[in-house]
Amino acid sequence: MIIAANWKMNLGQAEGAILIQGLNMHADRWSDISIVICPPAPYLLAMRDIAHSEFHIGGQTCHGKLFGAHTGHVSAAMLADCGADYVIIGHSERRQSDGESGSVLLEQAKCAIDAGLRIIYCVGETLEDRQAGRESEVVSGQLADIQDLLNSGDVPVIAYEPVWAIGTGQVASVPDIEAMHNFIKSETSRIMGASDMPQILYGGSVKPDNAEAILSIRSVDGALIGGASLDADGFATICDYAQKVSR
Ligand code: 13P
């Protein structure tokens, strides 16, 4: 099971360090799960330096080219150089506000693989899509965008993050999460064959008070957490549940 923290554009370096130190002291309790911490890019190196050696560090995005004249961007190789071993690709906040299309995301994903990073590829429908009953179609299209990658045998982690549940306090129901995760498993096994199934995380208002119910769903392999990952005690509680259901 993977529990990933997406800090987004939150916390200063000192606050991030305090948060990580708060988690470090519990790390020995979480021997059966993978913890991935995705701080803002300028803090990757500092957070890698202080994080427990069992914790993974991840980027929140990377550029779709390996290097070059791309002012303000960060390449996958640079993330790896700072000690990252994961990167989030296709978060809905980047799809929406930075206009990242499927073809852009595929380029990013390929660069990430070339740099030796493990991808957490985000999919998920908007409220409008769900109300129109289009959620499977949307997610299927987002998976098709990285079909080349899936065909090549590189197995990403997939995060199902319904856009309407992100940062809203609204959580998808247990049957809806189960149905979508099963759908994603069947789509990816159709594309890749059943040999290497991706792990599928749920993201969208995961909190200490709903984490046990969500993580207990059989098709849920972990969580990608925004707001609740900014609080050491709350995040630790979620990790404890993950450890409990992983046993
Ligand atoms: P919240 O947990 O704040 O809803 O954010 C989820 C998310 O976007 C993680 O990538």
Side-chain angles (χ1 to χ4, degrees):
M1 188 161 277
I2 297 172
I3 301 296
N6 178 8
W7 289 2
K8 308 191 180 184
M9 199 173 72
N10 292 301
L11 303 179
Q13 185 167 329
E15 294 164 307
I18 291 168
L19 173 47
I20 291 203
Q21 278 152 359
L23 297 173
N24 280 348
M25 58 188 165
H26 305 299
D28 295 343
R29 298 210 298 252
W30 303 322
S31 52
D32 296 322
I33 60 174
S34 295
I35 313 271
V36 183
I37 297 178
C38 303
Y43 304 144
L44 277 170
L45 202 51
M47 298 306 130
R48 173 65 284 163
D49 277 352
I50 54 170
H52 191 282
S53 59
E54 290 295 320
F55 294 168
H56 301 271
I57 297 290
Q60 297 178 10
T61 182
C62 65
H63 196 269
K65 294 275 184 292
L66 289 174
F67 56 86
H70 304 289
T71 303
H73 286 278
V74 173
S75 75
M78 291 168 185
L79 297 177
D81 214 13
C82 290
D85 44 10
Y86 279 79
V87 62
I88 299 170
I89 300 281
H91 193 283
S92 61
E93 286 154 14
R94 295 199 59 86
R95 289 179 190 266
Q96 287 182 335
S97 63
D98 297 85
E100 291 183 346
S101 63
S103 56
V104 167
L105 298 176
L106 179 61
E107 292 305 308
Q108 294 176 353
K110 284 180 177 168
C111 283
I113 298 286
D114 283 351
L117 299 176
R118 194 152 188 226
I119 293 166
I120 300 178
Y121 180 69
C122 300
V123 298
E125 80 286 355
T126 62
L127 185 58
E128 196 186 4
D129 293 327
R130 181 158 279 272
Q131 284 171 341
R134 284 198 303 261
E135 63 274 13
S136 302
E137 190 189 321
V138 168
V139 169
S140 166
Q142 292 165 335
L143 292 172
D145 287 336
I146 57 156
Q147 185 155 346
D148 282 0
L149 192 85
L150 296 172
N151 280 334
S152 70
D154 288 308
V155 187
V157 177
I158 310 273
Y160 169 53
E161 297 208 313
V163 178
W164 49 270
I166 294 177
T168 60
Q170 273 183 283
V171 189
S173 68
V174 168
D176 284 348
I177 295 173
E178 200 158 29
M180 184 56 85
H181 280 225
N182 286 333
F183 175 73
I184 293 170
K185 280 187 201 275
S186 74
E187 283 289 286
T188 48
S189 74
R190 186 177 57 74
I191 298 171
M192 308 174 68
S195 52
D196 277 320
M197 289 300 286
Q199 287 171 284
I200 307 177
L201 317 183
Y202 171 79
S205 296
V206 175
K207 309 271 181 226
D209 61 359
N210 60 25
E212 188 165 21
I214 292 169
L215 295 171
S216 301
I217 301 171
R218 200 151 19 126
S219 54
V220 170
D221 302 307
L224 178 55
I225 302 164
S229 73
L230 303 175
D231 171 66
D233 290 342
F235 189 69
T237 303
I238 296 171
C239 293
D240 284 340
Y241 287 135
Q243 171 69 23
K244 184 172 144 193
V245 300
S246 294
R247 281 252 157 102

